[in-house]
Amino acid sequence: MTDQPAPHRPRFVELSPDRIARFWTEAGVGAHTEGGWAVLLDGRTPKTPDKAPLVLPTEAAARMAADEWAAQEQFLDPSTMPATRLASTAIDRIGGAREAVADEIAAYAGSDVVCYLAEHPTALVERQAREWGPWRAWAAREMGIVLEPTSGIVHRSQSPEAIARVKAHALTLDDFRLTGLATAVPLLGSAVLALAVERGALTGGEAFDLSRIDEAFQEDQWGVDAEAAERTQARRAEAEMLDRWFRALD
């Protein structure tokens, strides 16, 4: 796909890389005075990097972040706090960049992985057609997003109407769901699969498996080394976390 957008994530807030000792005993959640649910560390709400209170729209989402704080050991490890990072990004960054983020999400529909079938071997072509076709049909039926498949890697333009529908849906989402969708789309290489996870039609693990049919086929043929397997497992864990994030926001 010659014109596929470069993998791009929202400009995530970077949690502090400094070695911060754990300064709290208990982590929990509580209703915030201005609405939503705050993460509480010994009864006090931590701040995002831009000094806003860490307040999420649902109790379940706040609990996801609070559980990350509760699981920290002697020193805080930001790499183990993906929900906190998503929440901080939603609070600090997304509100002022919604149009641009929606455009980036919609751009993936223009070169969606589920639209690019291999030309050979036959077994791979058949598997892609069998497993991706129903999700293109789902996008058309449930969301009015009609994408046309092609064979090979030469870019095929999709209709402006389909791209516009993806963007329009993205803009209906609150900042927290939009952050999750903007993270899922480049992870999966697919607006269709990411939307299916956001809407609850696919689990994160199912979408991840669908996104890497070609890669899995090659692994079956040639094997996989330990480093590649570790990267795959980390990406799968991120897809599964994003599924939990969307469900917690429901």
Side-chain angles (χ1 to χ4, degrees), residues 155-210:
H155 178 72
R156 172 173 181 165
S157 297
Q158 301 292 344
S159 73
E161 292 79 10
I163 306 305
R165 283 184 180 273
V166 175
K167 180 178 179 179
H169 176 76
L171 289 174
T172 68
L173 305 178
D174 66 34
D175 290 348
F176 293 84
R177 292 186 83 89
L178 184 59
T179 301
L181 185 61
T183 307
V185 167
L187 175 66
L188 301 172
S190 170
V192 169
L193 297 178
L195 287 166
V197 177
E198 186 261 320
R199 295 284 294 269
L202 278 172
T203 69
E206 290 168 341
F208 181 72
D209 289 342
L210 287 165

Side-chain angles (χ1 to χ4, degrees), residues 31-110:
H32 193 260
T33 55
E34 297 181 8
W37 292 81
V39 174
L40 299 175
L41 306 180
D42 295 335
R44 301 183 65 180
T45 304
K47 304 291 187 181
T48 68
D50 283 359
K51 310 304 181 185
L54 190 57
V55 177
L56 291 86
T58 68
E59 183 177 6
R63 179 66 62 187
M64 276 187 72
D67 286 348
E68 294 174 346
W69 290 84
Q72 298 303 299
E73 299 183 354
Q74 183 179 1
F75 293 97
L76 184 146
D77 181 2
S79 70
T80 64
M81 306 175 75
T84 299
R85 190 182 186 202
L86 285 169
S88 295
T89 299
I91 294 166
D92 288 351
R93 300 284 173 82
I94 296 298
R98 289 178 58 84
E99 190 82 14
V101 171
D103 279 334
E104 291 176 2
I105 291 168
Y108 270 85

Side-chain angles (χ1 to χ4, degrees), residues 8-9 14 24 28 31 35 54 67 69 90 137 142 147 174-175 194 198 209 217 226 234 244:
H8 189 85
R9 306 291 180 97
E14 292 296 335
W24 64 94
L54 190 57
D67 286 348
W69 290 84
E142 299 295 330
L147 300 178
D174 66 34
D175 290 348
E198 186 261 320
D209 289 342
F217 184 87
R244 295 193 300 274

Side-chain angles (χ1 to χ4, degrees), residues 213-226:
I213 287 175
D214 190 4
E215 185 179 339
F217 184 87
Q218 297 301 324
E219 290 173 355
D220 289 343
Q221 302 300 307
W222 306 107
V224 58
D225 62 34

